[in-house]
Structures are given as C-alpha cells and as structure tokens.
Amino acid sequence: MLILQKMKNDQYGQMIFDEQDLVNQIMQGNRQLDGYCVDRSVDLATAADILEHMPTLIAHQDQDITVEEFDRRCQKNWHMPQSYQDLDIAELVLSLCDTDGELQRCGQELLMYQERDLFNLLRYLKYLVDVMKDNQVIWGVGRGSSVASYVLYKLGVHRIDSLHYDLDPAEFLR
C-alpha cells in the first residue's frame, strides 16, 4: 500500500518522493523502489550505505521543456522484457487472424497504429495481458472506445468482437 506524507507532483504530473516518503515505503515493507523520482532531500550516497540493495532512484531535476517533449521522452521508456520490445507485433496480430475479413480489418488498424507510432503500446499491452494471464489476474470485458479496436480484441486486451458488432476503429484511434 502506498502511503505518502507530503506527496508532490511536478509540472508533468510525475510523483516526486521526499526522504520521508521513501522511509515510509521501506517501513511498510516496500523494497521495490526502482524508478522512484526523488527530490533533493534524499541523499543517494547515504541511502546506498544504509540499504542492502540500492534501488535505482532518479534524482528529480527541474526541466525547462514542454509537456509534449516530456511526454515524448517518457514514451521511449517502456518497462517490459526485451523479448517483447523486439516482438514483431504486426506479424503476431496477423497470425491470430482466421479469415480474410479479420486480416483486412487488422491490416487497416495496424496501419492506423503505425501512423500514430503506437506499436510499442501494442507490444506493452501484449506483455501486460500475458503477465495477467500468467498470474491469473481477472480483468474486465472491455471499456470505452478501446473496444472498437479489433487488434486489441485479438491481443486479448478486451473481449468485445468489434468486427462482429461493426464498430468503427476510428472511434478509438482519433
């Protein structure tokens, strides 16, 4: 459980942890602190001496970039195994198709995903679905405009057959 004392967010919406926040996390048994963004109150050298495993903490720095540039930089960092990062997602999706109609619809949607540079998102969703299946996590049937995507249906993200219901993929990929 994440209990924070003085939670702060920067102008990009990132959670910034202070020393007390980190101590609370450790006291609650959370040892998975890798990737936490910390403010200047955290002395990383002292933390390395105290903790038997030094998490990869990220020192927060005030940045003078636009939100769009920040978002673009963050989209380059997908935290998933290399095998998923190297996955030919288009080939996988097309291999899941059984009919010419399915191939045509998936091909159309994959072009839309590619135009928007969203193949890493599809790879990550495949990874997420596999992790949930492996850990017997139950997730919903589908929600919102994402059910209009037949590609997401084939990947198992949702259970609504948008081809059967003739849902327009443009509803999701606007």
Side-chain angles (χ1 to χ4, degrees):
M1 177 177 3
L2 186 66
I3 299 176
L4 304 173
Q5 297 293 329
K6 308 169 216 155
M7 191 58 218
K8 296 181 283 187
N9 290 334
D10 67 7
Q11 69 267 28
Y12 309 109
Q14 287 187 114
M15 295 184 349
I16 311 298
F17 294 82
D18 65 15
E19 185 175 282
Q20 187 61 47
D21 292 331
L22 290 178
V23 169
N24 287 342
Q25 290 300 296
I26 293 167
M27 296 300 289
Q28 293 171 29
N30 181 5
R31 300 282 189 230
Q32 300 298 318
L33 303 174
D34 287 331
Y36 277 36
C37 190
V38 297
D39 68 13
R40 291 186 182 108
S41 70
V42 178
D43 180 358
L44 297 178
T46 303
D49 290 340
I50 296 171
L51 299 172
E52 67 270 3
H53 162 70
M54 178 59 184
T56 307
L57 301 173
I58 301 167
H60 180 261
Q61 299 173 2
D62 291 326
Q63 301 175 23
D64 192 22
I65 59 173
T66 65
V67 172
E68 290 78 16
E69 177 59 24
F70 175 79
D71 185 51
R72 199 171 8 267
R73 287 182 188 179
C74 288
Q75 286 185 29
K76 293 179 183 176
N77 300 319
W78 290 91
H79 301 288
M80 60 181 152
Q82 191 65 41
S83 60
Y84 285 90
Q85 292 178 30
D86 298 337
L87 179 65
D88 184 342
I89 195 68
E91 181 181 321
L92 172 70
V93 169
L94 294 174
S95 75
L96 298 172
C97 297
D98 298 319
T99 67
D100 287 340
E102 289 179 4
L103 277 170
Q104 185 176 5
R105 173 66 178 258
C106 284
Q108 173 193 8
E109 284 189 32
L110 286 168
L111 287 174
M112 295 168 77
Y113 279 101
Q114 187 176 28
E115 287 170 1
R116 291 161 178 82
D117 197 24
L118 294 174
F119 274 18
N120 277 336
L121 172 66
L122 292 176
R123 289 181 188 101
Y124 186 80
L125 289 172
K126 172 65 176 148
Y127 166 61
L128 181 63
V129 167
D130 288 351
V131 168
M132 290 190 297
K133 283 180 181 176
D134 291 346
N135 291 285
Q136 300 175 352
V137 174
I138 299 171
W139 64 99
V141 173
R143 155 176 197 128
S145 63
S146 70
V147 299
S149 173
Y150 193 67
V151 166
L152 296 184
Y153 170 73
K154 292 306 267 184
L155 291 175
V157 173
H158 61 73
R159 295 180 183 102
I160 307 298
D161 183 342
S162 56
L163 192 58
H164 174 78
Y165 292 105
D166 196 28
L167 300 176
D168 184 0
E171 288 297 316
F172 176 57
L173 294 169
R174 290 184 231 184

